[in-house]
Amino acid sequence: MKKPLIGTLLALTLAGAAAAPAMASAPRDEAPKAVAPTAVDFAGTVALSNCSGSLVRTPASLPTDPALVLSNGHCLESGMPGAGQVVKDQASSRTFSLLNSTATKVGTLQANRILYATMTDTDISVYRLTKTYQQIQTQYGIGALTLDTVRPAQGASIKVVSGYWKSTYSCNVDGFAYRLKEDAWTWKDSVRYTSSCNTIGGTSGSPVIDTTTGKVVAVNNTGNESGGTCTLNNPCEVDQNGAVTVRQGINYAQQTYIIVPCVGPGNVIDLNRAGCTLPKP
């Protein structure tokens, strides 16, 4: 695990290409307009004591719901969950430094529960805060990032935004690892970055944001540091036939669309909801 991985988003806004004017006397097809990337910055990211994270919501979350913070399972204050272990609905008093668009700390948020955490199939932790989204918006002027409901596309432009390091990485989704194995842990359908997202320790838990939609599509969690095969800090890819591939210097994230079906009214995580595939305790 790149324990704390960093990844931050730079604000880039590219104007769409102007289409040629229509000619009444000789109609012709217009060139398709380019989609302008969404400006991505540090607003809504958080710094943990050892990792990065983000203030997140689902599309159905209400302003009056208790706010959620997303990070990695291996960033838990109690230590890394074992293979097969799921942490569900436990007390927590963890604090998070909330950042604005320029990576300036604007306040401290506090959790009262760890709603869910695991390193089995994925590597996520979801904390419930003592404040609602509305209270955070009113007090700090910061809104939550929205979790996408669909799987990211290969080739998609992404940014990894690290609240811990106050730094960003820009790259693309290179592809997906059917299974990503690191020491005792195995993760499913992991996002593989192109090489320019050369994340480091401390960036773990950073939101991976699609630069077109501005939505969170994954959470940064690991990378192969020294070329080892399936060892700690040296994950390997395993395909459907069991073939192992090692990509030294390449980094990975865990998809987050799978979280959305598991979040019910009031931002309660219910692992029995329709469509929820997160591992159960």
Side-chain angles (χ1 to χ4, degrees):
M1 251 86 32
K2 285 199 164 181
K3 306 186 175 96
L5 291 179
I6 76 176
T8 299
L9 308 168
L10 293 176
L12 276 182
T13 305
L14 301 180
M23 303 294 289
S25 58
R28 60 182 178 182
D29 292 336
E30 294 183 356
K33 293 182 179 180
V35 177
T38 299
V40 180
D41 54 35
F42 291 92
T45 62
V46 301
L48 287 67
S49 58
N50 61 339
C51 286
S52 300
S54 56
L55 182 69
V56 297
R57 63 183 299 276
T58 73
S61 294
L62 300 177
T64 53
D65 286 338
L68 305 178
V69 162
L70 172 68
S71 189
N72 284 147
H74 76 259
C75 294
L76 279 181
E77 62 269 43
S78 57
M80 295 188 290
Q85 181 182 1
V86 172
V87 176
K88 180 75 166 62
D89 198 24
Q90 295 187 6
S92 174
S93 58
R94 193 158 200 186
T95 58
F96 312 89
S97 297
L98 178 65
L99 306 184
N100 66 11
S101 61
T102 60
T104 300
K105 178 181 176 180
V106 294
T108 299
L109 304 176
Q110 183 168 348
N112 56 20
R113 306 293 292 180
I114 171 69
L115 295 183
Y116 186 87
T118 192
M119 290 177 64
T120 299
D121 294 350
T122 185
D123 184 10
I124 60 170
S125 58
V126 181
Y127 290 86
R128 185 183 73 192
L129 302 183
T130 57
K131 293 182 182 294
T132 66
Y133 297 114
Q134 191 172 68
Q135 289 171 326
I136 293 170
Q137 178 73 53
T138 299
Q139 185 171 1
Y140 304 114
I142 301 295
L145 301 172
T146 299
L147 297 175
D148 208 338
T149 59
V150 296
R151 189 175 187 263
Q154 186 171 2
S157 173
I158 54 175
K159 286 180 178 289
V160 183
V161 187
S162 171
Y164 184 88
W165 289 113
K166 300 181 179 179
S167 180
T168 64
Y169 296 84
S170 301
C171 62
N172 296 84
V173 174
D174 184 55
F176 304 90
Y178 174 72
R179 296 291 183 267
L180 190 67
K181 181 173 175 55
E182 180 172 341
D183 197 62
W185 300 278
T186 300
W187 304 305
K188 296 179 177 179
D189 200 23
S190 303
V191 173
R192 180 176 63 245
Y193 305 144
T194 52
S195 59
S196 54
C197 276
N198 53 341
T199 50
I200 63 173
T203 62
S204 286
S206 297
V208 179
I209 302 176
D210 185 303
T211 63
T212 298
T213 65
K215 294 180 180 180
V216 177
V217 296
V219 57
N220 183 52
N221 83 305
T222 195
N224 189 293
E225 296 181 359
S226 58
T229 303
C230 313
T231 58
L232 190 65
N233 301 321
N234 290 288
C236 62
E237 297 184 22
V238 184
D239 70 13
Q240 293 92 326
N241 299 315
V244 174
T245 302
V246 172
R247 303 177 190 269
Q248 184 176 357
I250 294 300
N251 298 291
Y252 301 87
Q254 302 308 307
Q255 300 188 56
T256 51
Y257 77 95
I258 61 172
I259 299 173
V260 177
C262 306
V263 181
N267 273 355
V268 173
I269 290 187
D270 180 358
L271 301 179
N272 294 313
R273 281 175 58 84
C276 179
T277 59
L278 289 175
K280 298 179 180 180

